[in-house]
Amino acid sequence: MLDKVRKLLAKAEDPACTPEEAEALTAKAALLIAKYGIDQALLDARADRPQVVGNRLVELAAPYLREKAYLLHVVAAALRCRSIRLERRTADGLRVSVHLFGFESDVAGVELLFSSLLVQAARGLLREAVPGGQQPAAWRRSWLIGFGSAVQQRFAAATAQDDDPPPPGTALVLADRERAVDLAVEAEYPNVRAGRRRRLSGAGFEAGNAAGQRADLGAVRVETRPRAEVTGRT
């Protein structure tokens, strides 16, 4: 299933792919990721397999580290995972990584979809000209936050509009898994705190939000509740 998702996203990321084709491919990939994670959860519950939460440390590449961490947080929350942003200062500047917690099928889906959205966001930024009078880095930071915000809105809208009821017992199974993920985070980061709200000076939010709306994720069922992004420091 994940190999099929990789192939769909690879086609969506191809520069020769039209925006409409990329939207359709990304929507299909997101749908497969979401359903695969839920199906795996139900199979584990029926087979009485132990609740094993995995984790993955994702190192982010400059520039716009915090903006990329925000996008990863949005995708992780939508696909039943938790994300902890870690920051440290080095001689080379700020380093940012994100520690993902979740069941393997969910974490793998997060990584795949996040990587594809990064490609789509980078392509969108290249197409956008920074308006006159705007500081380029500040404008692009706000553009990326707008992009991530639109992705979050699409996940929420997909959940609200989904008329296809999940199999009986799904909500209870997913609630048990969510609790297991929360316990794993608490064990690793007992003193974690919510990240502070940032004030961005750039005016690119609306343009980025419009681009994120075009990165259509389709009618994907995602069992999620809004979470605050949390931050740890090393």
Side-chain angles (χ1 to χ4, degrees):
M1 180 65 74
L2 290 178
D3 185 57
K4 185 182 294 186
V5 169
R6 288 188 188 96
K7 290 177 180 177
L8 287 169
L9 293 176
K11 292 179 181 178
E13 296 160 17
D14 190 327
C17 189
T18 67
E20 293 76 15
E21 291 170 337
E23 288 175 7
L25 290 165
T26 304
K28 178 63 175 176
L31 179 62
L32 288 176
I33 289 170
K35 286 190 172 181
Y36 173 65
I38 292 174
D39 289 347
Q40 189 62 51
L42 294 175
L43 286 171
D44 289 346
R46 289 168 185 161
D48 198 24
R49 296 189 184 105
Q51 299 269 340
V52 180
V53 178
N55 67 89
R56 204 82 47 86
L57 191 64
V58 180
E59 292 282 351
L60 300 177
Y64 312 120
L65 292 168
R66 287 172 176 161
E67 291 72 31
K68 290 175 181 176
Y70 170 67
L71 179 60
L72 180 50
H73 166 73
V74 165
V75 176
L79 296 180
R80 302 168 297 278
C81 293
R82 289 281 305 275
S83 61
I84 307 295
R85 192 180 80 228
L86 304 172
E87 297 186 358
R88 63 188 184 276
R89 293 283 178 180
T90 69
D92 297 325
L94 180 67
R95 299 287 297 275
V96 176
S97 58
V98 174
H99 202 166
L100 290 175
F101 289 82
F103 289 82
E104 181 57 34
S105 57
D106 296 329
V107 172
V110 169
E111 290 187 308
L112 282 172
L113 189 53
F114 171 65
S115 297
S116 180
L117 288 171
L118 270 187
V119 172
Q120 295 184 50
R123 189 180 300 161
L125 267 179
L126 287 174
R127 287 196 296 260
E128 297 272 1
V130 178
Q134 290 285 319
Q135 203 279 332
W139 190 88
R140 288 171 182 143
R141 280 194 293 269
S142 61
W143 190 99
L144 286 167
I145 293 297
F147 183 92
S149 178
V151 171
Q152 186 176 47
Q153 293 163 15
R154 286 200 170 272
F155 275 126
T159 302
Q161 296 170 5
D162 188 9
D163 297 325
D164 183 20
T170 300
L172 182 59
V173 169
L174 294 180
D176 287 344
R177 287 166 73 95
E178 181 178 317
R179 181 58 182 157
V181 173
D182 287 342
L183 289 173
V185 173
E186 291 168 9
E188 186 78 18
Y189 298 101
N191 300 315
V192 73
R193 60 181 175 80
R196 290 180 294 180
R197 185 179 295 275
R198 297 174 62 202
R199 292 185 178 181
L200 299 172
S201 59
F205 181 91
E206 293 300 329
N209 192 271
Q213 295 289 352
R214 291 192 295 270
D216 188 6
L217 299 179
V220 181
R221 179 194 297 125
V222 285
E223 305 293 336
T224 183
R225 295 196 300 253
R227 295 176 183 265
E229 184 179 10
V230 287
T231 306
R233 297 187 182 277
T234 59

